[in-house]
Amino acid sequence: MSEMPSSARVVIIGGGVVGCSVAYHLAKLGWSDVVLLERKRLTSGTTWHAAGLIGQLRATANMTKLAKYSADLYGSLEEETGVATGFRQTGSISAALTEERREELFRSAAMARAFGVPVEELTAAEIKARYPHLNIDGVTGGVWLPSDGQGDPANIAQALAKGARMRGAQVREGVKVTGIARTGRRVTGVDWTAEDGATGHIACEAIVNSAGMWGHEVGRMAGVTVPLHACEHFYIVTEGIEGLGTLPVLRVPDECAYYKEDAGKILLGAFEPNAKPWGMEGIPESFEFDQLPEDFDHFEPILEAACNRMPLLAEAGIHTFFNGPESFTPDDAYHLGLAPEMDNVWVACGFNSIGIQSAGGAGMALSQWMEDGARPFDLGDVDIARMQPFQGNRHYLFERSKETLGLLYADHFPYRQKATARGVRRTPFHAHLLERGAVMGEIAGWERANWFAEAGQEREYRYSWKRQNWFENAAREHRAVREGVGMYDMSSFGKIRVEGPDAESFLNHICGADLAVAPGRIVYTQFLNETGGIEADVTVTRLSETAYLVVTPAATRRADQAWMARHVGEARVVLTDVTAGEGVLAVMGPKARDLMARVSPADLTNAAHPFGHAVEIEIGMGLVRAHRVSYVGELGWELYVSADMAGHVFETLWEAGQDVGLKLCGMHMMDSCRIEKAFRHFGHDITCEDHVIDAGLGFAVKTDKPAFIGRDAVLRRKETGPKTRMVQFLLQDPEPLLYHNEPIVRDGEIVGYLSSGNYGHTLGGAVGMGYVPSFGESAADVLGSTYEIDVMGVRVAATASLRPLYDPKAERAKA
Ligand SMILES: Cc1cc2nc3c(=O)[nH]c(=O)nc-3n(C[C@H](O)[C@H](O)[C@H](O)COP(=O)(O)OP(=O)(O)OC[C@H]3O[C@@H](n4cnc5c(N)ncnc54)[C@H](O)[C@@H]3O)c2cc1C
């Protein structure tokens, strides 16, 4: 073995397609000191046996952008490196067997149009014309994606490795990373052992964990949690079939199957609903180009359906039965980015069986992020910071991974909840809510009441693309909040205490708003990045001279706290996650004050407790901190109560509430009310790539306070005017439903897509929000156009507004 380096700018751990792509892209950016270590041979983990499907359409615009980038890259790598990647643009067909699936596919076709991916909707007969071997009995329709393709996974990885080497990266095989040295929040180097027994250490400035299904174990060495678990993943390859011809890739998700023609044979792969987790006791040290034992019983139902769907399979002999392990994550999205626990540990693993099609884009995005120290665009879907510490629990991962593999081909119904590994995080009101009919959903492990069933009503979701079984329940909850009083549990929202002598100056440095306010004031604000993009959307309450409470969405608490921790510098502050310590009940609606008067002696008039203030009050025999704010746009209070008194306070409110018609409400109600008010939803309507001015949140930024992150970008954008504007839409036909990603059509042209959507029960139709490019235009110009929203290929007329369609003057919350 030639001499190993003793130092590197970055050590990439793992030489599958993903590690090779990261090395390639870093080298392409001019990083000269890149070392990739592979414990065995390149591609010998999962990459070598992938089926090689390379699709382009993903569930969001940026994920689609990354997949498209991969396909373009693989098409050009051969010329650049001389290594044939086998990339062919064969196109792909997805065929539906139910009306619901047809709607899903047609909605995704509309989305593809918004994302610039060529697409065509097909009838069953048109599918048959493109795929003559298919039995179209029961086929309800499908879509054709002409730019999808397929390639040779191992050669794609080898081409990337060669491209990296050509630019100076060192790619070393047979060298395993056995330890990772760290000081504080930084790794300082890696220990390695070679196959010949040699050992050594490479000092480095950063590492990339691209160790595939070993990523969890490598993460532990680096002090970071990488939630993933390997599962067995199957396909068969037939003997050669005469006269097969060249065929596109075919997916029949309702039968959990995909078909790929390659060299006159058919590869039939499966995404079965109950997968088999593998490697609980660790992955054998000897693992290299290995396969797992056949399990024909497990595969048989898929094969049986496939023989009916593609009768020629029944005649063809099976040449190969393949079973290989692949890693799956709790939410079926891969892990990318800077691990929240450390400041120089980068992660790119857990690719959920789409690692080949994702590797090009993921490697490009991660490298750019490493180069700039900032995300090149929103990567919230895959950012490792979305994961919670508990999600590294192996038992949890084992249970959840049974479900995630099959989810890839399951119906992607709106509001679909995970069925496995539930009940891990419960709020102090959990049992009280269940007793009263709550139907729970889950986010970041938290069980949250999404809606309340009536007595005798089934307490389960019945999913559909049309109105689901809880639609009327949510409508009643919505009306209670708009016309009477409703109560809902907000305990899952993240709560971070910021305490210390520098708390005020620290928060003023990272927030757009001015936090030099009196104790008791509540401030709505954003954490901005240097380009004016929104990193977090929070409310901050000043509790005392030296203490603040930052409240964040449940899903982003960890990312938001990591952002804060990385910007603390020399400031004398302590950050503490106190989410579990306090329960929060929101009491909202025009009758909220009546209810509060029945349970508390406190003066809650506007004069004594105005909007935007928090005060401690008595409720029953307990104490709560009452925050006068509202995410539903009504008069009301969010009541923060320490966990020990939460049950008492709930019962007190519930009993008193019987006299004023108090209704328990869920998160579906909250989202429906917030979208009528055009309140932005972080992660959908506002992300790190959306400028705070374009988002219409300039009012929350105070540029006349001392310097803060993003100030210059805000001043610049105020001078030039917004590039795009966040517009709220109301469909004029009350029937169609909006979810998000539906194309926005302005004067007949697609100009964007909805970032969020829901039904507005007060406005009387589906409501959506989305950005409309408007550089150099006035508000009147933007509103002067006609707008339609493309719902499943049908253009539906929409009313557009730059002010909230519900209560535009924000009078109700201040009533
Ligand atoms: C049956 C099957 C079919 C598939 N079909 C497709 C498909 O059609 N399309 C698609 O896009 N994807 C597909 N995939 C998924 C795809 O193969 C994976 O997502 C992808 O290969 C993952 O690449 P990776 O680089 O993350 O992991 P790997 O290829 O497993 O690479 C990780 C590497 O890290 C090395 N390593 C681990 N620990 C250390 C250490 N301590 N030191 C040094 N090196 C270490 C390992 O030896 C390994 O080589 C399929 C997967 C399977 C199983």
Side-chain angles (χ1 to χ4, degrees):
M1 189 166 80
S2 61
E3 204 177 322
M4 288 284 289
S6 59
S7 69
R9 184 168 174 193
V10 59
V11 173
I12 299 168
I13 305 170
V17 68
V18 175
C20 293
S21 176
V22 175
Y24 171 86
H25 285 95
L26 283 175
K28 210 168 172 183
L29 284 171
W31 285 41
S32 54
D33 218 0
V34 174
V35 174
L36 182 153
L37 302 182
E38 163 54 47
R39 57 188 269 284
K40 299 284 185 187
R41 242 43 55 200
L42 293 182
T43 79
S44 65
T46 297
T47 297
W48 70 280
H49 56 60
L53 272 50
I54 297 166
Q56 301 203 352
L57 184 60
R58 306 296 309 147
T60 62
N62 281 354
M63 291 300 106
T64 302
K65 178 154 97 183
L66 294 186
K68 275 169 76 177
Y69 173 89
S70 295
D72 291 345
L73 174 68
Y74 303 161
S76 65
L77 264 183
E78 181 168 349
E79 197 181 337
E80 186 189 333
T81 63
V83 181
T85 59
F87 182 74
R88 287 195 290 142
Q89 210 168 57
T90 52
S92 82
I93 295 170
S94 292
L97 299 181
T98 65
E99 282 307 316
E100 290 284 359
R101 180 73 76 172
R102 181 174 163 276
E103 173 149 0
E104 175 182 325
L105 292 179
F106 280 25
R107 280 182 178 262
S108 75
M111 182 176 88
R113 281 192 285 275
F115 298 170
V117 175
V119 66
E120 241 179 80
E121 289 93 338
L122 302 178
T123 62
E126 287 165 340
I127 295 177
K128 182 85 180 167
R130 288 185 189 273
Y131 210 106
H133 310 293
L134 192 71
N135 164 9
I136 55 167
D137 283 356
V139 172
T140 52
V143 292
W144 163 242
L145 291 159
S147 50
D148 276 4
Q150 58 189 57
D152 175 344
N155 279 0
I156 290 171
Q158 294 289 358
L160 289 164
K162 181 154 180 213
R165 281 196 187 101
M166 283 160 55
R167 293 178 171 83
Q170 294 199 50
V171 177
R172 310 301 293 254
E173 294 177 282
V175 183
K176 180 178 177 182
V177 171
T178 50
I180 297 173
R182 4 178 193 137
T183 305
R185 287 178 60 89
R186 297 187 71 80
V187 300
T188 56
V190 304
D191 299 323
W192 54 265
T193 301
E195 281 174 324
D196 64 6
T199 59
H201 182 85
I202 304 177
C204 61
E205 293 167 28
I207 62 165
V208 176
N209 175 358
S210 53
M213 62 184 166
W214 292 264
H216 185 82
E217 178 190 315
V218 169
R220 280 179 182 244
M221 280 195 247
V224 308
T225 304
V226 183
L228 54 83
H229 200 293
C231 281
E232 303 186 22
H233 196 24
F234 303 89
Y235 58 70
I236 59 159
V237 185
T238 65
E239 303 282 3
I241 300 173
E242 215 162 302
L244 194 61
T246 307
L247 292 167
V249 167
L250 171 73
R251 296 184 180 85
V252 187
D254 295 310
E255 291 174 346
C256 311
Y258 65 89
Y259 303 81
K260 173 194 162 199
E261 173 274 319
D262 202 356
K265 301 171 182 168
I266 289 279
L267 181 153
L268 161 68
F271 283 95
E272 69 280 17
N274 280 313
K276 293 174 70 184
W278 178 79
M280 268 303 268
E281 309 305 325
I283 298 159
E285 183 58 35
S286 60
F287 192 97
E288 181 181 8
F289 297 114
D290 274 357
Q291 6 186 329
L292 307 178
E294 290 181 8
D295 183 346
F296 200 75
D297 290 347
H298 191 74
F299 195 76
E300 201 180 2
I302 309 286
L303 184 60
E304 206 177 300
C307 288
N308 167 53
R309 191 59 53 204
M310 188 100 77
L312 57 73
L313 282 182
E315 309 298 319
I318 295 178
H319 176 273
T320 311
F321 186 110
F322 189 83
N323 178 8
E326 158 70 334
S327 54
F328 290 86
T329 64
D331 61 357
D332 235 4
Y334 57 84
H335 298 318
L336 200 76
L338 194 52
E341 300 94 333
M342 301 288 283
D343 290 336
N344 62 350
V345 175
W346 300 86
V347 179
C349 43
F351 276 83
N352 302 291
S353 78
I354 55 162
I356 308 303
Q357 72 173 34
S358 307
M364 176 271 284
L366 188 77
S367 308
Q368 201 59 52
W369 187 348
M370 293 171 72
E371 166 82 356
D372 299 341
R375 291 178 211 90
F377 35 78
D378 175 40
L379 290 162
D381 294 322
V382 290
D383 190 337
I384 177 81
R386 77 192 183 286
M387 286 286 121
Q388 308 300 313
F390 90 89
Q391 289 175 304
N393 176 297
R394 276 167 283 201
H395 184 191
Y396 165 84
L397 288 167
F398 178 80
E399 291 302 328
R400 177 54 64 80
S401 65
K402 292 178 195 166
E403 181 182 9
T404 40
L405 182 146
L407 282 181
L408 222 78
Y409 277 27
D411 289 272
H412 298 109
F413 287 123
Y415 310 106
R416 184 175 179 130
Q417 303 296 322
K418 304 281 190 300
T420 55
R422 292 288 300 270
V424 183
R425 304 175 85 188
R426 303 176 198 194
T427 79
F429 310 111
H430 186 80
H432 289 88
L433 301 178
L434 275 186
E435 261 170 41
R436 292 163 178 80
V439 181
M440 297 285 171
E442 183 245 344
I443 198 153
W446 283 107
E447 293 293 323
R448 312 205 300 180
N450 276 351
W451 57 281
F452 284 80
E454 302 293 336
Q457 187 184 359
E458 179 186 41
R459 290 189 181 193
E460 255 182 54
Y461 277 89
R462 292 285 159 211
Y463 298 117
S464 168
W465 287 92
K466 305 271 187 292
R467 284 159 173 69
Q468 299 187 4
N469 59 331
W470 50 268
F471 186 84
E472 288 305 329
N473 299 68
R476 283 190 286 273
E477 294 168 23
H478 180 116
R479 279 193 287 277
V481 165
R482 291 280 186 249
E483 295 161 17
V485 55
M487 180 161 80
Y488 52 98
D489 179 6
M490 293 181 68
S491 311
S492 62
F493 282 62
K495 305 173 206 80
I496 305 162
R497 276 184 85 108
V498 181
E499 291 169 278
D502 296 337
E504 179 187 305
S505 57
F506 167 67
L507 283 171
N508 255 345
H509 175 60
I510 60 165
C511 295
D514 190 356
L515 274 304
V517 292
R521 279 304 304 273
I522 304 171
V523 180
Y524 170 58
T525 185
Q526 291 76 35
F527 300 170
L528 302 179
N529 56 34
E530 293 294 353
T531 57
I534 299 169
E535 293 286 341
D537 186 52
V538 300
T539 51
V540 184
T541 303
R542 186 163 204 165
L543 301 172
S544 72
E545 275 307 306
T546 55
Y548 290 81
L549 184 74
V550 176
V551 176
T552 78
T556 62
R557 195 280 308 162
R558 195 162 186 228
D560 298 345
Q561 191 164 336
W563 178 266
M564 286 199 266
R566 290 202 176 107
H567 289 92
V568 162
E570 300 301 311
R572 291 164 302 163
V573 293
V574 174
L575 309 174
T576 315
D577 172 23
V578 295
T579 308
E582 282 185 329
V584 183
L585 286 173
V587 174
M588 295 285 156
K591 291 190 187 159
R593 195 175 274 122
D594 296 352
L595 172 60
M596 293 295 285
R598 287 163 198 261
V599 294
S600 178
D603 180 356
L604 294 175
T605 56
N606 271 333
H609 190 187
F611 187 80
H613 287 75
V615 290
E616 189 177 84
I617 63 169
E618 297 176 0
I619 287 192
M621 294 177 283
L623 290 177
V624 307
R625 207 175 52 253
H627 291 222
R628 179 96 190 267
V629 284
S630 178
Y631 193 48
V632 291
E634 299 296 340
L635 167 69
W637 287 265
E638 292 177 3
L639 304 171
Y640 287 68
V641 52
S642 69
D644 51 345
M645 287 182 279
H648 170 69
V649 166
F650 180 94
E651 287 155 18
T652 306
L653 282 161
W654 177 251
E655 258 165 52
Q658 300 313 301
D659 299 336
V660 288
L662 175 67
K663 190 158 183 64
L664 286 175
C665 305
M667 294 290 115
H668 292 327
M669 173 288 299
M670 191 177 80
D671 193 56
S672 152
C673 287
R674 77 89 201 162
I675 204 166
E676 288 191 330
K677 275 294 293 167
F679 290 147
R680 279 64 170 152
H681 183 179
F682 186 81
H684 285 268
D685 307 316
I686 44 178
T687 69
C688 67
E689 70 182 67
D690 300 315
H691 197 288
V692 68
I693 298 293
D694 296 10
L697 297 176
F699 69 88
V701 185
K702 299 286 175 270
T703 46
D704 52 0
K705 67 168 190 167
F708 59 94
I709 305 169
R711 180 170 182 268
D712 293 346
V714 172
L715 290 174
R716 277 198 303 275
R717 190 61 63 97
K718 278 189 168 169
E719 247 168 56
T720 60
K723 280 191 180 164
T724 64
R725 277 193 173 84
M726 172 54 82
V727 181
Q728 188 191 26
F729 299 96
L730 170 66
L731 294 190
Q732 287 166 15
D733 177 350
E735 191 56 27
L737 299 178
L738 296 174
Y739 300 113
H740 65 286
N741 285 338
E742 292 85 354
I744 301 170
V745 183
R746 180 182 184 184
D747 296 328
E749 298 286 325
I750 293 180
V751 293
Y753 53 88
L754 297 183
S755 46
S756 66
N758 204 326
Y759 201 82
H761 296 282
T762 303
L763 293 177
V767 183
M769 316 236 302
Y771 288 96
V772 172
S774 59
F775 190 62
E777 291 186 88
S778 68
D781 294 337
V782 175
L783 296 178
S785 294
T786 58
Y787 289 92
E788 295 158 302
I789 305 296
D790 179 341
V791 185
M792 215 187 131
V794 178
R795 293 185 171 185
V796 183
T799 305
S801 180
L802 292 168
R803 304 177 68 203
L805 286 162
Y806 179 76
D807 189 22
K809 292 193 183 149
E811 288 163 337
R812 295 181 65 89
K814 294 179 186 147

